[in-house]
């Protein structure tokens, strides 16, 4: 569920920036904003947030309301995507609701006159996403470059479920403001991510009457705090970037305790141990681990006879994968029950992995549920026992000698002894009755790609050859997925990697269904001469590596580069020069090493008579490169792709 993120203000550092932004009322738009052609601090932006305003307050009877107001500017056709709005909220047990939705498009016509078109109420509708999640959905009409989009609404929630707030998004924000009025009855803890200067930070205290534990109102202290940020840049998606939630200016917070009407406090602050206990007692989670699944007796009896927990776990893993299909939904627990999912042979990630945990325990393997957060869901902060930090459950199997298996039955092509890519470099929480246990989900296994080529070059400049491509471990998983999902013909296009001069005449695949062995791709191919002069032959050996385009084209980056796993590329080739030609201009041997030897690239070229031998290697020895290390990685990739683009030149003699 995507929430609007409201910041708990008591624990934030105080600043002296008291300048209050003059917010305009709904529909009152400055002419300068309508005439604006570009964002002043991001000239390339397709759209921007002119302002957004959140006001959180408690009603007399301690319901929580958030009045939300947002105004956007559209600069070009690409920015029109901002016109489609989805406001998700937690509708289960009527915990949250959204009301008083108003929206309108404001534009200038050809005469320069202001035109306002409101979104009709009948075009604003509720869409049920799950049993507990609903979204208010609408689209702005007649959106053109230059239009301003404006909407407002009221969210009702409760003091336990205060929503979070994002000050920043994927488009630039000129001004983001919120105020919170928190009653002394409630005590919260905040988890804050903030890297930019505060434009406004102002606090004041006043008294107000509320109904709390009696028929008559009583006076309580209220702390009102206003906070705002100005000119926040957009956080753009980058190659090998995990969730934007890890980097956006944001805050999440949790209720610690509530003052009792009779005195003292009632604790709401959870611990990891308490969270685990509650899950194990939950009908949608812990009780599902004790179900008997139909038609599993023969498999369980046979698997119990295997000689080790590892073999039993591998068998159970394959059994569930063969009998279940993932419905593409990630959940921690069940939406119905594991029995119904098993009978339907389809389910969420939570249902499939709770089924796997049932079977693992039935065959005698002491497996435990592991709560995880996928790479696109965001990092887990172990200092805050928030259940919403997780979006998935997998199976954790401790083995002898401090070894472990992390099994995810939704992965159809993943060997049992590897960890799924979407949770690599994250941390998982073991759900048990024992003291809190955390599992680091990292691997030393690289994704290995090896290419061996033997090629004959003809006098007309065409080149024919055979390449044996070996994809191991994580590289194997990604390529097998492409073969299974798209088919062999589409996979040929993938191998060509946009090379218009390359034609694959035959493709033979080996070990596609044996995940313990390297995927073998035997490729017969030919290429054209890229020279128009018959006295010269040009060719480039950069084939089948999947490295046609540099992913790191920006010289600056504020996010880490998370490859997921170590990577090792190795290409060797022999090229037979045709009679009447000789090597004229060959690339030089070169080695590039980043500081600390975290990345190493080498190229070696040897000419021997009518043969040219070529070798290229790239070793990325870290799964994650911090934003501070990006400059080194950027320079290496920039030079490396220049090298990969160099032509070999043969000249007629």
């Amino acid at each position: 569920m995507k929430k609007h993120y409201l910041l708990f203000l008591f624990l934030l550092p105080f600043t002296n920036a008291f300048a209050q932004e003059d917010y305009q009322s709904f529909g009152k738009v400055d002419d300068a904003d309508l005439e604006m052609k570009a964002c002043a601090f991001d000239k390339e932006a397709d759209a921007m947030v002119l302002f957004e305003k959140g006001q959180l307050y408690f009603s007399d009877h301690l319901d929580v309301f958030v009045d939300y107001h947002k105004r956007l500017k559209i600069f070009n056709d690409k920015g029109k995507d901002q016109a489609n709005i989805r406001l998700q909220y937690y509708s289960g047990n009527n915990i949250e609701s959204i009301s008083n939705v108003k929206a309108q498009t404001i534009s200038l016509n050809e005469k320069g006159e202001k035109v306002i078109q409101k979104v009709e109420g009948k075009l604003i509708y509720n869409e049920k996403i799950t049993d507990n999640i609903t979204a208010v959905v609408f689209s702005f009409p007649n959106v053109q470059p230059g239009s301003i989009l404006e909407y407002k609404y009221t969210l009702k929630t409760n003091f336990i479920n205060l929503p979070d707030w994002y000050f920043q998004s994927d488009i630039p924000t000129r001004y983001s403001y919120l105020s919170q009025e928190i009653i002394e009855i409630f005590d919260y803890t905040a988890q804050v991510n903030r890297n930019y200067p505060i434009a406004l930070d102002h606090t004041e205290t006043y008294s107000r009457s509320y109904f709390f534990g009696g028929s008559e109102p009583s006076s309580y202290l209220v702390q009102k705090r206003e906070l705002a940020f100005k000119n926040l840049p957009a956080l753009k998606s980058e190659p090998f970037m995990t969730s934007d939630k890890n980097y956006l200016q944001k805050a999440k917070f949790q209720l610690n305790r509530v003052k009792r009407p009779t005195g003292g406090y009632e604790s709401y602050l959870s611990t990891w141990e308490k969270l685990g206990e509650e899950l194990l007692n939950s009908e949608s989670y812990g009780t599902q681990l004790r179900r008997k699944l139909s038609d599993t007796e023969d498999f369980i009896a046979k698997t119990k006879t295997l000689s080790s927990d590892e073999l039993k776990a591998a068998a159970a893993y394959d059994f569930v994968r063969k009998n279940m299909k993932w419905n593409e939904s990630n959940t921690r627990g069940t939406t119905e029950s594991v029995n119904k999912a098993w009978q339907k042979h389809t389910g969420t990630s939570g249902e499939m992995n709770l089924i796997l945990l049932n079977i693992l325990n039935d065959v005698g393997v002491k497996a435990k549920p592991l709560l995880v957060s996928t790479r696109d869901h965001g990092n887990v902060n172990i200092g805050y026992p928030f259940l919403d930090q997780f979006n998935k459950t997998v199976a954790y199997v401790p083995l002898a000698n401090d070894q472990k298996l992390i099994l995810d039955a939704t992965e159809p092509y993943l060997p049992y002894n590897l960890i799924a890519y979407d949770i690599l470099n994250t941390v998982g929480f073991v759900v048990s009755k024992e003291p809190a246990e955390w599992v680091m989900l990292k691997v030393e296994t690289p994704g290995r790609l090896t290419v061996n080529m033997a090629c004959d070059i003809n006098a007309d400049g065409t080149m024919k050859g055979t390449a044996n491509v070996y994809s191991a471990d994580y590289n194997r998983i990604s390529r097998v997925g492409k073969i299974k999902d798209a088919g062999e013909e589409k996979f040929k296009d993938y191998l060509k990697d946009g090379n218009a001069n390359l034609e694959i005449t035959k493709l033979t695949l080996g070990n596609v269904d044996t995940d313990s062995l390297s995927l073998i791709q035997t490729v017969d191919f030919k290429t054209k001469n890229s020279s128009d002069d018959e006295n010269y032959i040009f060719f480039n050996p950069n084939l089948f590596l999947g490295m046609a385009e540099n992913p790191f084209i920006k010289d600056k980056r504020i996010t880490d580069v998370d490859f997921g796993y170590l990577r090792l590329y190795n290409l060797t080739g022999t090229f037979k020069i045709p009679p009447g030609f000789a090597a004229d201009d060959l690339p030089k041997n070169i080695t590039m090493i980043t500081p600390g030897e975290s990345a190493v690239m080498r190229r070696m070229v040897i000419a021997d008579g009518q043969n040219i031998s070529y070798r290229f290697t790239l070793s990325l020895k870290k799964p994650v490169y911090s934003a501070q290390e990006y400059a080194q990685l950027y320079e290496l990739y920039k030079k490396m792709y220049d090298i990969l683009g160099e032509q070999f030149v043969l000249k007629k003699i």
Side-chain angles (χ1 to χ4, degrees), residues 600-635:
V600 179
M601 190 227 76
R602 290 188 172 91
R603 178 183 65 187
M604 182 179 295
V605 182
I606 300 174
D608 182 14
Q610 293 301 108
N611 291 299
I612 297 173
S613 298
Y614 174 82
R615 182 172 184 179
F616 169 86
T617 61
L618 172 64
S619 177
L620 299 175
K621 300 181 180 182
K622 294 176 61 175
V624 181
Y625 294 79
S626 69
Q628 290 72 31
E629 297 174 294
Y630 178 69
Q632 303 167 8
L633 200 64
Y634 168 79
E635 288 299 327

Side-chain angles (χ1 to χ4, degrees), residues 136-183:
V136 174
V137 181
F138 61 91
S139 296
F140 287 91
N142 297 329
V143 178
Q144 303 297 329
S147 295
I148 286 177
L149 315 181
E150 183 173 37
Y151 64 96
K152 63 188 297 186
Y153 63 90
T154 297
L155 170 71
K156 180 183 178 182
T157 183
N158 60 37
F159 63 86
I160 298 175
N161 196 48
L162 291 188
D164 311 319
W165 179 272
Y166 276 117
F167 290 98
Q168 191 180 21
S169 71
D170 59 353
I171 60 174
T173 299
R174 187 171 70 183
Y175 202 82
S176 181
Y177 164 95
L178 84 99
S179 71
Q180 277 189 324
E181 299 175 48
I182 304 294
I183 312 169

Side-chain angles (χ1 to χ4, degrees), residues 226-241:
E226 300 169 289
L227 191 89
F229 286 80
K230 278 186 176 182
N231 298 341
L232 289 175
L235 183 65
K236 298 290 188 181
S237 178
E238 300 276 7
F240 302 105
M241 171 181 155

Side-chain angles (χ1 to χ4, degrees), residues 527-568:
T527 65
K528 302 174 184 178
N529 183 12
S530 57
S531 172
D532 295 328
D533 189 335
E534 64 180 11
N535 293 311
Y536 290 91
I537 296 173
F538 295 165
F539 72 93
N540 187 314
N542 179 22
L543 302 172
F544 309 116
L545 283 174
M547 299 176 67
E549 293 185 3
N550 184 357
F552 305 121
I553 58 176
K554 293 183 178 179
D555 60 353
K556 294 182 180 179
R557 178 168 170 147
I558 64 171
T559 62
D560 298 339
V561 177
D562 191 332
F563 289 110
Y565 49 85
L566 311 180
R567 298 181 182 231
L568 181 60

